[in-house]
Amino acid sequence: MIHNEYDNEDDKIQDKLNQKTWNEIRTNDSWAIFKIMSEFVNGYESMARIGPCVSIFGSARTKPDNKYYLLAESIAYKISKAGYGVITGGGPGIMEAGNKGAHRGEGTSVGLNIELPFEQHYNPYIDKDKNLNFDYFFVRKVMFVKYSQGFVVMPGGFGTLDEMFEAITLIQTKKIGKFPIILVGSSYWSGLMDWIKNVMIEDHKNANIDDLNLIKIVDTEDEVVAELDRFYKKYNLSPNF
């Protein structure tokens, strides 16, 4: 857990507005570049040895008896049996379920962990040499995107939405390949998709209707595996593991 030197949010804001503190921050920020570089180097070297996988995103707050936890575990199990490695954020909830399913399926199980004040701790189902720890969210997100051959998005909160829209944006802007983005749980995601289609696209023209083709909504583990297999057959590829 990250140490918090502030008693409350007001103290944090006041400290940021203090000129002396701001001067110290500018100096520290310059030296932080080396820490950032070291995280990138370690991440690249570690993930290059592991190879590309399928990322599973979802809430850290999902309990083991929740239907989406059980579904995520089953999805990861079937993904691993189909030959795909699995990457998660390395923490509890859906992330744990993903690693647990991959571990049970004797597949590659990777965790990209980050310390958070309330909910993050690494789960016990990550392969021993494939548990990476990060201090910076943006470095961690690069590892997710660079080494993912597909994105399975389970129900989650703001962090899950952040990771999902990062992948969509990079595909939309052609910064990465058009890998499949699979949202699991039509009852959970349909409202968001309706808003994107009706408000963002049709009412305000802030995206193209074709962008919706980047996203597939499914409800079962078999549909997830079928979407991944369809993608690989289309491009005459095969899973890395």
Side-chain angles (χ1 to χ4, degrees):
M1 184 175 291
I2 294 176
H3 171 68
N4 187 358
E5 61 183 300
Y6 302 100
D7 292 330
N8 56 58
E9 286 298 314
D10 288 342
D11 291 341
K12 185 185 295 186
I13 292 170
Q14 289 294 334
D15 200 29
K16 292 292 185 183
L17 296 175
N18 182 285
Q19 184 61 45
K20 179 180 178 182
T21 302
W22 184 245
N23 290 334
E24 292 174 354
I25 288 173
R26 285 190 298 178
T27 300
N28 292 336
D29 282 350
S30 297
W31 286 103
I33 291 173
F34 296 101
K35 171 63 176 173
I36 294 167
M37 288 174 59
S38 71
E39 286 205 355
F40 272 117
V41 170
N42 181 60
Y44 285 152
E45 289 186 347
S46 298
M47 293 303 297
R49 288 193 294 268
I50 295 168
C53 299
V54 173
S55 286
I56 297 179
F57 301 138
S59 176
R61 305 183 187 200
T62 306
K63 303 302 182 186
D65 60 350
N66 183 283
K67 68 176 183 178
Y68 288 118
Y69 181 106
L70 299 173
L71 181 56
E73 181 183 347
S74 181
I75 288 170
Y77 174 79
K78 291 202 171 187
I79 285 177
S80 65
K81 284 299 185 184
Y84 302 94
V86 171
I87 301 175
T88 80
I94 294 296
M95 295 175 281
E96 177 183 283
N99 289 126
K100 184 177 181 181
H103 180 77
R104 184 163 60 89
E106 299 181 339
T108 297
S109 180
V110 184
L112 307 182
N113 216 295
I114 191 164
E115 290 190 353
L116 298 176
F118 304 112
E119 60 193 38
Q120 183 83 359
H121 57 79
Y122 71 86
N123 68 70
Y125 302 104
I126 304 167
D127 293 345
K128 185 177 296 185
D129 58 340
K130 298 178 177 65
N131 184 22
L132 282 68
N133 292 289
F134 297 90
D135 287 329
Y136 298 97
F137 264 114
F138 64 91
V139 179
R140 179 177 179 245
K141 285 167 68 176
V142 168
M143 301 305 149
F144 269 124
V145 173
K146 183 175 176 61
Y147 295 97
S148 291
Q149 294 177 311
F151 304 91
V152 176
V153 189
M154 304 297 297
F158 291 124
T160 301
L161 292 174
D162 177 49
E163 291 159 343
M164 178 184 76
F165 281 116
E166 175 86 8
I168 293 171
T169 300
L170 290 172
I171 292 173
Q172 178 202 42
T173 55
K174 303 185 186 303
K175 297 298 183 182
I176 63 173
K178 194 177 178 180
F179 294 112
I181 298 175
I182 306 166
L183 277 56
V184 181
S186 56
S187 63
Y188 190 88
W189 295 112
S190 59
L192 175 62
M193 292 300 105
D194 288 343
W195 178 85
I196 291 174
K197 179 178 183 293
N198 298 324
V199 180
M200 179 189 292
I201 296 177
E202 293 186 359
D203 291 350
H204 295 277
K205 316 301 181 188
N206 287 330
N208 295 321
I209 192 67
D210 290 344
D211 292 335
L212 290 178
N213 296 330
L214 300 173
I215 305 163
K216 181 72 173 180
I217 300 179
V218 305
D219 285 298
T220 69
E221 56 266 51
D222 289 337
E223 289 176 297
V224 172
V225 176
E227 283 298 317
L228 292 171
D229 286 345
R230 188 178 297 116
F231 170 81
Y232 281 93
K233 288 177 182 177
K234 177 181 178 180
Y235 291 99
N236 196 29
L237 300 172
S238 61
N240 283 268
F241 304 102

